[in-house]
Every structure is written in C-alpha cells, then in structure tokens.
Amino acid sequence: MKRIMAFVALVIVFFMSNGVFAQQQTAVNPIIYADVPDMSMIRVGNTYYMSSTTMHMSPGVPIMKSTDLVNWKLVSYAYDTLANTNTMNLEDGKNTYGKGSWASSLRYHKGAFYVSTFSATSGKTHVYTTRDIEKGSWKVLSFRPVLHDHSLFFDDDGRVYMVFGAGKIRLAELNSDVSGIKPGTKEQVLIENANEPSGNGGLPAEGSQLFKLNGKYYLFNITWPKGGMRTVVVHRADHLRGPYEGRIAFQDFGVAQGGLIDMPDGRYYAYLFRDYGAVGRVPYLVPVSWQDGWPVLGDAGKLVPLTGLPAGTGLMPGIVASDEFLRTKKAPALPLVWQWNHNPDPKLWSVTQRKGYLRLTTGRLDTHFLQAKNTLTQRTIGPVCVGSTMLDISKMKDGDFAGLSMLQKNYGQIGVQVSGNTKVLVMIDAGAGRPIETKGDALHQDKIYFKIECEFGNLKDTANFIYSLDGVIWKALGTPLKMSYTLPHFMGYRFGLFNYASKHVGGYADFDYFHISDNLDNK
C-alpha cells in the first residue's frame, strides 16, 4: 500500500509540474461572480479593502476584505440609512430603485479610512470616516452639490480634492476635514473632453479614479464609444491641475471602470467590472505592466490569464451565506450578507420573537411587490445558484402574500397567497415586464418549502420556481423566469424573503431558514 501511495504522489507532482492542474491552482475571472460594481480598492499593509455600489439597499456601501485580491468577505457597511425620505422608505407609492448611493471612493489617509459617495436621492455628496474599517463606528458628513462619480484624493501637500464629472472632468478642493468644498475656491476643468482618446459620441467619460505614482497623476475613466464597447481610458499628468494627455488603456469584452491596486511585492493589477447579464456587474482583475511611465493593462489592452494569484475558494460565506436565523446574545441581528430592499421598518421584523426564525409582520397595505416594505435580500451568484426556505404560514391573514422571490424590475415570486380562509400556492412571472400569475393547489398545512434555481452561465439567465409539501418531493410551479438586467433597477437579481398585506395588517410569516448553494444538484 505504501508503494502505491508513493507512486500516486509522484504522479500528482508530475501533473502539477506540467500544468495539468494549473487551472485549479490559479485565479480566474470574474474574481467575484456576483453583482459587485463600481469598485474602489485600497491596500493597507498586507490587507486589501474594497467598497462597492448597492444603491437602494440598506445598509449601504458594502466594505469587503481580502488578503490575496481573489477571496473576499464582507466586513462592514459605511451606513445603515442613507436618508430618511419617502423614496428610501417606500412611502406614498415612491421608491428610489436604481438611485440611492452610487459609485464610492475608498481611501486611507493618516490612519483613517474614508468612504465617499454621492446620491441623487439625497441630493448630496456623502463622506463616511472611521479609524477601524471592520468594527468601528462611522462619522457621517455630507454636503452639496452632488459630485458625480467622484474620486476622493489626498495629495502629498496635505490638500484634499474630489475629481468628478462626465465627459468634462472637473476638480474641486475640499476642506481639510472633508466636510465640503473649500470656501473661496472654484471648480477647475481638468479635461475638457475625456472621451477623446476613444472617439466622441456614446457614453461620456465617467467613473473617475485618480492615483499618484512616482510623482505622476493617473486618472482612470470609463467610456463607451458609439458602436463600440466599454473602454478604459487613462490620462496622465505631471501636475494635479494638468495638462493631461490620454490614451486607451483597455478594450476587451466590455471590461471597464475601476482603477489600480498594487501588491506588497510590487505587482500591479487593474480592478474593473463587466456587465454580465442578469447576475449583474462582476469584478475582473487585469495584470498591469509599465511602459514609458504608462500602465499597460493585460496584453496590449486585451485579457490575459490570471497567473500568480491563488484560486478562488468560492463566495460562501464571505459574499453570500445560508442562515438558520439562530442568534447568540452577542451576534448581530442579521449577518452582513443580508440587505433590505430600501429602508426597513424595524418594528415589523424580528429574529428573536421566535427562536430560529425570521418573522416578517405586515404593518400596512400594499398591492405590488416592488413597493412592499421589509423584503430581505441577498445577491445571487454565478454560474448557478439555488436559494431555498421553509415558511410557517399559520399566522398569515386574508390578503397576505409571503414567500421567496427574485428581485429586479422584471421580478419573479413563489409563495402563499391567502384569500379568505384559503391558502393557495402562487407563482408570479414578471419577466416580460408585467406580472403573470400561476395558481397552484390550495394548502391544508402550516408549513411549505420553496426553492429557486438560477442559471446564469453563458447568459442563460433563467430561474425555476419550485415548491415542496414535505421538503423531499419537489414540483415546479409556473414558467421559468427569463431574467433580464434592467437599468431602472440597475442591479443584478437578488433572492428575497417577503411578506406583505393587501387587506388586513398584523399577519406574519415565519421563515425557518434561508439556504444558498452554488450547485443545482444540491436538492
């Protein structure tokens, strides 16, 4: 036996040395096969931190951590509530889908972390600061006007700026405490037409991210030339205020918008993202070399394999995670993987009223899923994923609808709808833009199991809605949802746990668990 084991070990070493297992030993793009757009990234010592966009979700501006640029986990959010308005609260028929807070800028300066973002919903530019990005509290600052797609920048002379704009890129100096635009200063146009290197027309250059390396200033922007693809344009200058010269830095598969990150060993990568269908906008890493003081992304602007970085270990539990809704006394009420659709009403949800369950209680009347309060969400992940739950429906009231959903403008739902004393299985398919209802059997039990299976690979973008009476035998209900990424919501599809009322308030549904898997065979 020992001889056989030794022989097997030699064979493994041989194959590994000849690259047979190389694909398993190195990272591949997308680095995160989930909706993590508008990244901003920093390195502090040997640790990397990244902020991203989640717009109308609460809490907002997620902060993620990595030690290798490949494997990431959520560690914080910059805010719990962006604004207490009718639009953020889903009140009076209003919402802020696709708005909320947009592209953030993450910086580390003199021992403090800064996250800045901007919001058409609040009409402000927001700055959040902390000295402990993982466990600390955040100081909140905000000011007007809204500085679109800005890059927060601390220069070597101690002065602080924001670079912002679309097409025409501008510079504004801020107060030293980053509390607003410095009195007596004026905005300066840094680049009159940042689109120019990639041609005019199409999407104006935006998504500014500014860096200073070896005494030179590098400004990254995304453009989208008419008839072309999303493109990375880089401008360079010897002085902050210019003049700037620009060139196309990357143009392949529409991978664009981001900036530079360095590793302790001196290597550089560009972090960018790609529109990837219904799952959302997914992060990519592109190796960077330098030529004549210019960053060269990939192989002359084309994607190359990610050699030299470790393989990813999956997105669970760092980005998404199952939840049994069991809480110890010191545990947070909800793990960081969860976000609410808009601002929640804290009086109407609980993980303590019944041990081991999430309780969603109705507190007002709603007739449409997208206006319903307290839908609790997690990202979907690719290339495939399954979300499942079990509900106790015994305390639902006439007119209530509770279950499991796929949240986007063209949404899908599977759940239990109460009409009088009858509880009926219902699947709703809004994939074509308007909801189509399929009714199943009436239920004569208090517990019901639901599952949604998603396939995103090769842009298949379909979801199947399934139920079970016993958790063993599963049946499909309705039609497969054809998922589509829509700009009004500007977000990849999310699993959602929901309960809302159309006739009476005070009913509730108890969710026993939420399980997520990256394997369709895990049934």
Side-chain angles (χ1 to χ4, degrees):
M1 177 60 73
K2 290 182 179 179
R3 291 182 179 179
I4 295 174
M5 293 302 296
F7 174 74
V8 170
L10 287 173
V11 171
I12 291 174
V13 170
F14 171 80
F15 279 116
M16 290 183 66
S17 65
N18 284 274
V20 175
F21 296 148
Q23 187 174 1
Q24 299 176 12
Q25 300 299 315
T26 192
V28 295
N29 278 312
I31 292 298
I32 301 176
Y33 204 146
D35 192 48
V36 183
D38 304 330
M39 305 93 72
S40 182
M41 197 180 296
I42 58 172
R43 178 175 63 84
V44 180
N46 293 321
T47 303
Y48 306 92
Y49 294 100
M50 175 171 66
S51 63
S52 180
T53 295
T54 49
M55 291 172 287
H56 47 274
M57 295 291 163
S58 294
V61 189
I63 308 298
M64 304 179 188
K65 173 185 178 181
S66 175
T67 56
D68 57 16
L69 283 180
V70 176
N71 296 287
W72 294 87
K73 67 176 181 178
L74 285 155
V75 294
S76 181
Y77 288 93
Y79 64 78
D80 287 324
T81 303
L82 173 70
N84 188 18
T85 62
N86 284 345
T87 53
M88 278 300 301
N89 293 335
L90 291 173
E91 298 284 355
D92 294 334
K94 297 179 180 179
N95 61 64
T96 190
Y97 285 110
K99 296 179 183 176
S101 62
W102 280 10
S104 56
S105 182
L106 175 60
R107 295 290 181 260
Y108 181 72
H109 180 66
K110 293 185 176 180
F113 294 88
Y114 295 78
V115 176
S116 59
T117 185
F118 67 102
S119 173
T121 300
S122 67
K124 297 178 181 180
T125 298
H126 300 264
V127 182
Y128 305 90
T129 63
T130 184
R131 301 193 78 84
D132 185 345
I133 196 170
E134 297 186 39
K135 298 180 180 178
S137 59
W138 294 81
K139 178 183 177 181
V140 182
L141 298 168
S142 63
F143 59 87
R144 299 181 191 274
V146 173
L147 301 185
H148 176 82
D149 272 15
H150 65 253
S151 179
L152 181 62
F153 182 74
F154 295 91
D155 209 349
D156 296 338
D157 59 5
R159 298 166 76 175
V160 57
Y161 302 87
M162 280 186 176
V163 178
F164 62 97
K168 184 179 292 187
I169 306 301
R170 303 172 183 270
L171 176 75
E173 185 172 359
L174 304 185
N175 298 322
S176 59
D177 61 0
V178 201
S179 60
I181 295 177
K182 186 175 181 179
T185 63
K186 294 183 178 180
E187 296 177 2
Q188 175 189 340
V189 176
L190 288 186
I191 305 171
E192 187 67 35
N193 179 14
N195 289 54
E196 192 171 4
S198 62
N200 295 316
L203 176 73
E206 59 181 13
S208 292
Q209 296 203 33
L210 182 65
F211 306 89
K212 188 175 184 180
L213 302 169
N214 300 320
K216 293 185 181 292
Y217 298 84
Y218 296 89
L219 179 63
F220 278 61
N221 288 103
I222 177 181
T223 68
W224 197 336
K226 190 174 182 179
M229 71 177 70
R230 289 160 40 88
T231 300
V232 179
V233 170
V234 174
H235 285 80
R236 185 184 72 174
D238 293 325
H239 306 282
L240 174 63
R241 298 183 182 274
Y244 284 83
E245 56 176 329
R247 59 175 59 176
I248 291 175
F250 194 78
Q251 196 173 55
D252 201 19
F253 289 98
V255 176
Q257 188 166 341
L260 287 173
I261 189 70
D262 69 323
M263 302 189 76
D265 61 8
R267 285 179 292 167
Y268 276 86
Y269 285 85
Y271 54 87
L272 308 166
F273 68 83
R274 179 183 181 185
D275 293 347
Y276 221 56
V279 76
R281 297 179 288 172
V282 300
Y284 274 57
L285 285 176
V286 179
V288 174
S289 57
W290 295 86
Q291 184 175 347
D292 299 326
W294 286 92
V296 178
L297 276 60
D299 182 7
K302 302 297 179 184
L303 283 172
V304 295
L306 281 175
T307 56
L309 291 178
T313 58
L315 303 185
M316 297 178 287
I319 305 299
V320 298
S322 296
D323 193 346
E324 304 297 330
F325 299 120
L326 288 167
R327 300 289 183 265
T328 62
K329 290 184 178 180
K330 294 184 179 181
L334 290 174
L336 294 171
V337 293
W338 290 112
Q339 287 177 285
W340 296 99
N341 179 22
H342 290 66
N343 291 342
D345 185 338
K347 300 186 300 296
L348 299 176
W349 69 271
S350 173
V351 290
T352 59
Q353 289 176 349
R354 182 180 179 185
K355 186 177 181 180
Y357 285 80
L358 167 72
R359 176 167 294 177
L360 298 180
T361 303
T362 65
R364 70 179 195 187
L365 303 185
D366 288 296
T367 58
H368 197 285
F369 170 53
L370 297 181
Q371 285 298 132
K373 293 276 282 189
N374 286 16
T375 297
L376 186 61
T377 79
Q378 283 200 41
R379 292 172 177 83
T380 54
I381 59 175
V384 298
C385 61
V386 180
S388 60
T389 189
M390 188 276 277
L391 277 73
D392 183 328
I393 58 177
S394 60
K395 300 301 182 181
M396 293 175 65
K397 291 188 176 183
D398 180 23
D400 289 0
F401 186 23
L404 182 64
S405 64
M406 296 298 294
L407 176 62
Q408 231 275 0
K409 176 179 176 291
N410 297 341
Y411 60 90
Q413 296 169 275
I414 187 168
V416 175
Q417 205 168 63
V418 183
S419 179
N421 295 321
T422 303
K423 297 174 181 177
V424 179
L425 289 167
V426 174
M427 185 268 174
I428 294 180
D429 181 343
R434 60 183 183 87
I436 299 174
E437 183 178 292
T438 300
K439 288 190 175 181
D441 297 332
L443 294 175
H444 304 285
Q445 59 190 66
D446 290 338
K447 295 183 178 181
I448 182 70
Y449 301 81
F450 293 120
K451 179 185 298 185
I452 302 177
E453 298 180 342
C454 303
E455 296 185 62
F456 297 107
N458 298 317
L459 299 179
K460 186 174 182 180
D461 290 351
T462 57
N464 293 296
F465 293 71
I466 309 167
Y467 73 95
S468 174
L469 300 178
D470 57 8
V472 177
I473 300 173
W474 294 86
K475 297 180 180 180
L477 183 63
T479 54
L481 174 70
K482 180 57 180 176
M483 297 181 285
S484 56
Y485 188 97
T486 70
L487 291 181
H489 276 214
F490 216 172
M491 184 174 286
Y493 276 78
R494 283 177 167 246
F495 292 113
L497 306 178
F498 69 91
N499 181 31
Y500 56 96
S502 62
K503 295 181 181 180
H504 308 282
V505 301
Y508 58 84
D510 286 343
F511 294 80
D512 185 25
Y513 59 81
F514 174 79
H515 292 166
I516 185 167
S517 168
D518 58 1
N519 184 353
L520 292 182
D521 293 329
N522 185 10
K523 298 181 179 181

